[in-house]
Amino acid sequence: MTIHYHLSQKGFKYSEMVYGISISCYNFHVMSKKGNVVNYFRFVVYMFIFWLLITQIYTMKFLIMGAAASFVVAWICMPLFMIRNLSQTKQYFVFDVSLLKFFAYFIWLMKELVLANLDVTKTVLKKELPIEPKVICFRVGFDNPLAIALLANSITLTPGTITLHVNKSNVFEIHALTQGAAEGILSGSMAKKVAWLYGYENTVEIMDTKSVTPHSNKAQDGIVIKKI
């Protein structure tokens, strides 16, 4: 029993060692790619800021401990914050976005939420209830899945519009409740803001809804009505 216990303990330690080595090798492989070193140090800075926020202790001892912990945690967690594109040909770092741009986008989105709320409120309070529900399709040239997710969720957050589906060709199917909501989508303002945030070309293609198969996960082109 004792011998078997010690052997099992050794086996467990060896498996831990092998697992740790494999994780370190994979992290080294991730870090060796171009641009990931910069993202790693950016991640370290974010972890250190988070450390300062939760500890609120600024003595030299805790600052050194926080810096060391930030380097280690960022090294271990770096692969978890790398997301592949749909074609599995490129990886994107979750926090690879300008904080100033993101803050500006957040302020703009809050303004749009207020305006959309007012539009829907006025529509609902009218006696004749002038809603004009329709489905609108448009396509963007985003490769970063985070940009696609941010745009889809921003549209859904805005009252009067809901993202129904996004297919493999980046064609968005949007349900608009009112004419004002539809015009906002057709203007492409939100898609262009996300394109600006992630550094993409701010061209939005308005699609013919009838040419797009609803809720299809297959890549499909459809008919482009206009580009904005």
Side-chain angles (χ1 to χ4, degrees):
M1 288 276 300
T2 306
I3 295 175
H4 176 72
Y5 173 77
H6 284 302
L7 288 175
S8 63
Q9 286 289 94
K10 287 183 179 181
F12 179 71
K13 290 179 180 179
Y14 289 144
S15 64
E16 276 188 321
M17 186 184 301
V18 171
Y19 178 74
I21 293 172
S22 63
I23 289 293
S24 298
C25 291
Y26 181 73
N27 287 352
F28 182 78
H29 171 70
V30 171
M31 292 292 296
S32 63
K33 294 184 178 180
K34 186 179 179 180
N36 283 354
V37 174
V38 175
N39 289 331
Y40 168 70
F41 283 104
R42 181 185 296 179
F43 197 16
V44 169
V45 172
Y46 293 161
M47 290 294 99
F48 186 63
I49 293 173
F50 181 68
W51 168 276
L52 294 178
L53 290 175
I54 61 175
T55 60
Q56 297 184 1
I57 301 175
Y58 307 108
T59 59
M60 185 57 65
K61 174 184 175 181
F62 278 93
L63 291 177
I64 293 173
M65 288 174 60
S70 299
F71 274 96
V72 174
V73 171
W75 177 266
I76 294 172
C77 296
M78 187 71 181
L80 302 177
F81 288 82
M82 302 298 294
I83 299 178
R84 292 184 180 274
N85 60 356
L86 193 62
S87 60
Q88 303 292 307
T89 57
K90 191 173 181 180
Q91 285 187 325
Y92 293 94
F93 181 52
V94 170
F95 299 118
D96 190 15
V97 62
S98 169
L99 291 180
L100 291 177
K101 279 188 172 183
F102 189 81
F103 180 73
Y105 176 78
F106 177 78
I107 297 299
W108 178 85
L109 181 60
M110 293 300 104
K111 182 202 74 173
E112 291 299 307
L113 290 178
V114 172
L115 294 177
N117 268 296
L118 293 175
D119 178 62
V120 173
T121 301
K122 287 188 295 184
T123 301
V124 171
L125 291 177
K126 287 182 180 179
K127 187 176 180 180
E128 60 274 16
L129 196 64
I131 60 173
E132 300 178 38
K134 62 181 68 176
V135 175
I136 301 168
C137 295
F138 68 87
R139 181 168 56 203
V140 293
F142 301 164
D143 185 57
N144 190 334
L146 294 168
I148 297 170
L150 179 62
L151 177 56
N153 284 287
S154 297
I155 291 172
T156 299
L157 277 172
T158 308
T161 54
I162 295 177
T163 302
L164 300 175
H165 188 70
V166 184
N167 68 18
K168 291 184 179 180
S169 298
N170 288 350
V171 175
F172 284 67
E173 296 176 44
I174 309 300
H175 181 275
L177 182 65
T178 64
Q179 182 61 31
E183 290 174 358
I185 295 296
L186 291 172
S187 70
S189 58
M190 188 168 289
K192 288 184 177 183
K193 278 290 183 180
V194 175
W196 167 77
L197 178 61
Y198 283 91
Y200 285 106
E201 184 181 354
N202 61 352
T203 300
V204 182
E205 297 178 340
I206 305 300
M207 315 291 294
D208 181 7
T209 304
K210 295 180 180 179
S211 68
V212 178
T213 305
H215 311 305
S216 174
N217 288 320
K218 295 181 180 180
Q220 50 181 326
D221 294 328
I223 300 173
V224 178
I225 299 176
K226 64 176 180 178
K227 294 183 179 182
I228 54 177

